[in-house]
Amino acid sequence: MRHVATAPDLRDPLKPETEIVAVGNEKPREACGIFGAYIPGHEAARAAFFGIFALQHRGQESAGIAASNGTSLSLTAEVGLVSQVFQEKDLADLQGHLAIAHTRYSTTGSNRRHNAQPIMAYGPRGAIAVGHNGNVINAMKLRDFCREEYGSKFNGSTDSEVIAELFAKIPGDDWFDISDKVMSLLNGAYSLVIMTKHELIAVRDPLGVRPLCLGKLDGGWVFASESAALDNLGAEFVRELEPGEVMIVNLNGIQNWVWSKASSTHKMCIFEQIYFARPDSVLDGSLAYQNRMRMGAIAYRENPVEADLVVGIPDSSTPHAAGFAAEANIPYSEGLVRNRYVGRTFIQPDQYMRDIGVKTKFNAMKQVISGKRIVVVDDSIVRSTTIRHVVKMLREAGAAEVHVRVAAPPIKSTCHFGVDMATLDQLIAANYSIDEICEIIGADSLSYLSLEGLEEAVSAGRNEYCRGCFTGKYPIDVQLEMDKLRMDRLVAEPVGAS
């Protein structure tokens, strides 16, 4: 469906909302992936499509692209995977050398069509489109501010819509001045791509919690959540944006500015290194795959074990397991096979399918496992649902012993900056000791990578990275738990309602 920026509400309110259900997935879930392109002489929407296609792992609930032909903005945004939302005819309608794109997993606001991004907003400078990765923890207060100060009306229930309203309506001499004022109001994590009819703006929050990088492509400039998206397009990786940095691309070229109150060292979410980012992405100057191999190697050095075979839980734990096996000098094997087409689906599973969800996703190769002492390496444990079923599956395949090694510390606290990680009562490490967890999952032994080991693996300085999910200490003050659906209850309220 093509939407043209001529009215505030760009989505069809009559179409039924659709929820996407994850089958057999208990991993932390990222907020989204963002992409921006300014490529004179080219159709930027096509680059944007392949950009978010490469970032599909960061969010599978909705996808959208906004483009400009220099006269008006056009937008397509819908619930579904990138390949489900966009067909050739959709891209043909998104003309122009300037585009931004977004693929989403909801962390604030439900998975509704009104919450699909990019989001359009209107102000004295005309229409803008915004794509956001992260979570702004004072969005409720700022929503009220926008209503009272600018008469803003909200169609959706996300913090991203609040950010879009602020950038559209706050007065300023230029986008650097506007960004200065908006950054002074926002509290939390936000990597942004913003576009007008003529300009592309990229913003990284003052803590640098969520990633964002710059590349060159066909005489133009592109921005992406991860460098892997640039590689897939054949773009040249230039660098990562600094915390608090704003970049503007227009006919005059590219300009940058760094907010004066930005952190001197980034506080990027350390889970980007562990799990979120693709292994072929560069984060903080190093390849994620190599960092994950080091996590596995250090996990072995900290807690060695005698075994015949090392297996990883595919696909996210493969580099961790490979690093563990190399350090331990134990053979590595793909003892578990993953059905890569089981992930997100529009089909609601019944109770029987929920019960066998992990079996639907993984299969153990009995001929490889039988009679062996197995070390199964996982990148993280949240609720323990997956690892419990995997241990059982390996035993049913004839494993003599099953030892579990986790290439990350125990997750003991929730995330407030753009990751859906379950509630405190659901986090197994927040409620049970390691010995108790070992008994719950049915393993012969269990150990986690230490926080010091993780920091060594990613070469973290003393003040770098957000480690809040492991320590309960965050780079800014947060409330104990946040409700990701807190704004959904406000959608139907009239303007001025509290």
Side-chain angles (χ1 to χ4, degrees), residues 120-142:
M120 301 289 291
Y122 303 83
R125 293 172 292 274
I128 67 169
V130 178
H132 168 220
N133 176 23
N135 195 48
V136 173
I137 62 177
N138 63 334
M140 293 282 282
K141 179 179 178 181
L142 293 176

Side-chain angles (χ1 to χ4, degrees), residues 321-474:
F324 187 100
E327 185 71 17
N329 197 26
I330 299 172
Y332 168 79
S333 176
E334 292 187 6
L336 294 169
V337 176
R338 179 175 181 264
N339 180 356
R340 289 170 175 81
Y341 298 95
V342 175
R344 296 198 165 270
T345 175
F346 286 94
I347 306 301
Q348 176 71 41
D350 59 18
Q351 187 58 48
Y352 172 73
M353 289 306 298
R354 288 192 190 97
D355 292 341
I356 68 168
V358 175
K359 289 185 178 181
T360 305
K361 192 172 184 179
F362 300 114
N363 188 38
M365 293 189 282
K366 295 181 180 180
Q367 294 83 349
V368 175
I369 300 298
S370 183
K372 302 288 199 317
R373 297 171 297 171
I374 303 297
V375 178
V376 57
V377 179
D378 203 354
D379 54 69
S380 60
I381 296 178
V382 181
R383 299 173 179 85
S384 81
T385 306
T386 297
I387 190 64
R388 196 169 354 118
H389 284 285
V390 165
V391 170
K392 181 181 178 183
M393 190 180 300
L394 291 171
R395 292 204 186 280
E396 290 173 348
E401 297 175 10
V402 180
H403 303 273
V404 175
R405 295 295 181 266
V406 186
I411 299 172
K412 295 185 176 181
S413 191
T414 54
C415 179
H416 303 259
F417 304 124
V419 179
D420 189 6
M421 197 175 276
T423 56
L424 276 174
D425 63 307
Q426 295 172 325
L427 295 174
I428 193 167
N431 297 281
Y432 297 94
S433 69
I434 292 178
D435 287 342
E436 289 171 330
I437 298 171
C438 184
E439 184 176 351
I440 290 169
I441 66 176
D444 290 286
S445 70
L446 167 68
S447 67
Y448 290 81
L449 180 66
S450 69
L451 182 59
E452 294 75 18
L454 175 60
E455 292 169 349
E456 179 186 345
V458 300
S459 303
R462 186 168 59 88
N463 296 317
E464 293 182 322
Y465 290 100
C466 175
R467 313 166 175 88
C469 55
F470 304 128
T471 66
K473 299 178 181 178
Y474 302 89

Side-chain angles (χ1 to χ4, degrees), residues 279 288-290 292-294 296-297 315-324 332:
Y289 183 88
Q290 293 175 326
R292 291 168 189 177
M293 284 194 69
R294 282 193 289 270
D315 291 316
S316 62
S317 304
T318 299
H320 309 78
F324 187 100
Y332 168 79

Side-chain angles (χ1 to χ4, degrees), residues 15-20 61 78-80 111-113 345-346:
K15 185 170 181 179
E17 306 288 5
T18 305
E19 285 288 340
I20 299 178
E61 291 189 350
E78 185 60 83
V79 170
N111 181 33
R112 307 166 64 238
R113 295 180 66 248
T345 175
F346 286 94

Side-chain angles (χ1 to χ4, degrees), residues 217-265:
L217 179 64
D218 295 331
W221 300 93
V222 289
F223 298 93
S225 293
E226 296 181 32
S227 65
L230 306 182
D231 296 337
N232 289 168
L233 286 167
E236 176 190 350
F237 173 72
V238 177
R239 67 175 176 87
E240 298 167 85
L241 273 67
E242 296 297 323
E245 186 169 16
V246 179
M247 287 188 169
I248 299 174
V249 185
N250 53 31
L251 286 173
N252 298 320
I254 186 168
Q255 298 174 288
N256 76 307
W257 167 85
V258 178
W259 195 44
S260 60
K261 299 178 183 178
S263 172
S264 58
T265 58

